[in-house]
Amino acid sequence: MQILGLILALISIGAVAGPVAGVVLVYQNNPVEMIVPSEIEALIDGSFGADEPFELPQYVSSSFDPSTQTLTATFSFANPFEFDLRVNSLSADVECAIHAFNLGHAELVDSVPIDAGDTAMIPVVFKWTQAAEDHFLTAHSGAASIDVELVNLGVDVSGIIIETPGSVSVNVPLPQ
Amino acid sequence: MQAKINWFGIAGGIAVLLLICLSAYFPWWQLVVGENLVKANVSPIYTNFDFIGSSFTIPLLLALNISSVILMTVGGIALLIYSFKPLASYSRRLLSFGYKKPLYSLILFVVCLVAITLVVKSVWDLNVPLMGSAQTTLPSEMTQGATVSVLMVASFQWPFLLAIAAAGLCIAARFYDKKIATAQPA
């Protein structure tokens, strides 16, 4: 029975030492990769393993519909991953660029799916509030257009909520 | 003379071998970040990570998983051999080797899981839940000035319960062995 005990002890030692020694041998030139593979390095350095850099939605253009008094700002969002994403929400506070007066809140109407490697246009809608109209009449009387800032930009991409300190400037024609 | 068989040992051995097969496909513990953007599928048998569509594993963890597969397989087989002939001269050694393996795997798994969540919390200030969900804000050095928060949902999966059951059966086999030994005529 001594032999059986010896065999079992050797199995115990070999089962642990064998695979670990094998991995150490394979990664002897780069031992860090044994614990931190390249995928985790990509996560830490911010590239997230995509061929192209991951960027927040970029402002493209805006349009204003005087009949409904609705401003639509369009953002483009590129999905650099081999994985379908969904923009669940995109919102921003709208402020007068000169007076920092809060004109209201802009947001995405419906969620937008973005296929792997694709780029989608995301419309963000802002309807003038009564307070905004009052501000135009009192502070921008006679002006043909107004510069507004989209601040406190927030985007929810597949459950990841990103809030950026940056702002987007948009020139909007005023109803005459 | 009635043949003595340790039924708990047979059940435990089968449960251990079944657990090894199933754990290759189903994790014991799973962490999901966002809407399946990141998934950590963790078990002592197989651990892998899905990160935005690409799957990878950590080489050292893979080595330890292989060790665990070998030890638990040998342990399960040893327990089965013992169970059919519990009174043989070599059986006590097989039992002693086999019944501990699932229990050790279970304890080490839980201890490592708790340790890893604590290390992640202390090093990166990320609150990774062991069970349930948590909204966590990523460190600013990882997010280039933006505030990035993610919902993490963690849960123990049904193979973890099977592992508890297997460990329980193996311990029961150890106790039942005493009963078999005392029932043996002098």
Side-chain angles (χ1 to χ4, degrees):
Chain A
M1 288 315 97
Q2 296 287 345
I3 293 170
L4 180 63
L6 186 66
I7 290 168
L8 293 174
L10 285 174
I11 288 172
S12 296
I13 294 165
V16 177
V20 172
V23 166
V24 170
L25 272 175
V26 169
Y27 291 92
Q28 59 182 329
N29 293 326
N30 189 5
V32 175
E33 207 167 316
M34 206 165 57
I35 301 164
V36 185
S38 54
E39 289 87 350
I40 293 181
E41 280 179 4
L43 170 65
I44 292 167
D45 70 19
S47 69
F48 302 102
D51 294 335
E52 307 211 353
F54 174 75
E55 288 182 342
L56 290 171
Q58 302 292 308
Y59 171 72
V60 177
S61 63
S62 65
S63 61
F64 180 69
D65 182 354
S67 61
T68 58
Q69 295 188 327
T70 303
L71 170 71
T72 303
T74 304
F75 291 80
S76 75
F77 186 40
N79 176 4
F81 304 109
E82 293 177 7
F83 184 86
D84 295 347
L85 296 176
R86 175 174 287 275
V87 179
N88 294 315
S89 72
L90 199 162
S91 63
D93 289 328
V94 184
E95 284 185 354
C96 170
I98 298 169
H99 305 98
F101 182 84
N102 189 293
L103 302 171
H105 192 70
E107 60 188 12
L108 186 69
V109 177
D110 290 313
S111 63
V112 179
I114 311 173
D115 293 339
D118 213 349
T119 299
M121 292 298 164
I122 305 167
V124 179
V125 175
F126 167 60
K127 192 172 180 355
W128 290 152
T129 60
Q130 188 59 48
E133 282 195 41
D134 292 344
H135 177 74
F136 300 148
L137 291 172
T138 55
H140 299 272
S141 178
S145 66
I146 176 177
D147 289 325
V148 299
E149 296 274 345
L150 303 180
V151 298
N152 300 327
L153 278 162
V155 58
D156 177 342
V157 183
S158 296
I160 307 288
I161 299 161
I162 306 163
E163 289 170 10
T164 168
S167 64
V168 173
S169 299
V170 181
N171 184 265
V172 183
L174 286 177
Q176 298 298 309
Chain B
M1 185 180 136
Q2 190 185 354
K4 298 277 185 187
I5 289 178
N6 190 329
W7 295 105
F8 287 107
I10 291 172
I14 290 170
V16 168
L17 296 177
L18 191 68
L19 179 68
I20 294 164
C21 296
L22 293 171
S23 298
Y25 302 99
F26 305 103
W28 290 19
W29 180 82
Q30 190 176 58
L31 175 72
V32 179
V33 179
E35 294 167 6
N36 293 326
L37 281 179
V38 180
K39 260 188 196 173
N41 302 305
V42 186
S43 83
I45 307 301
Y46 183 59
T47 297
N48 80 317
F49 303 89
D50 290 326
F51 184 77
I52 317 184
S54 60
S55 188
F56 67 96
T57 186
I58 295 173
L60 191 61
L61 273 181
L62 182 66
L64 295 174
N65 284 160
I66 293 168
S67 302
S68 190
V69 169
I70 295 169
L71 287 174
M72 283 181 71
T73 304
V74 175
I77 292 168
L79 199 60
L80 280 175
I81 294 170
Y82 148 80
S83 299
F84 286 105
K85 288 193 171 182
L87 299 176
S89 57
Y90 53 82
S91 286
R92 187 56 57 83
R93 209 174 277 276
L94 291 175
L95 172 68
S96 175
F97 179 83
Y99 91 93
K100 297 171 191 164
K101 295 293 179 278
L103 183 66
Y104 287 174
S105 287
L106 199 62
I107 292 169
L108 272 174
F109 173 73
V110 173
V111 168
C112 288
L113 210 54
V114 172
I116 288 169
T117 54
L118 291 176
V119 167
V120 169
K121 169 79 179 164
S122 64
V123 174
W124 289 294
D125 201 24
L126 286 176
N127 187 20
V128 178
L130 211 54
M131 280 179 80
S133 61
Q135 191 84 28
T136 302
T137 302
L138 300 185
S140 56
E141 57 266 26
M142 286 173 73
T143 60
Q144 298 156 358
T147 304
V148 179
S149 58
V150 293
L151 180 68
M152 297 185 181
V153 180
S155 57
F156 287 95
Q157 307 289 304
W158 61 265
F160 181 71
L161 300 176
L162 181 61
I164 293 172
L169 285 168
C170 291
I171 293 167
R174 174 71 183 87
F175 284 110
Y176 192 65
D177 177 70
K178 283 183 183 172
K179 195 176 171 186
I180 292 171
T182 51
Q184 186 186 12

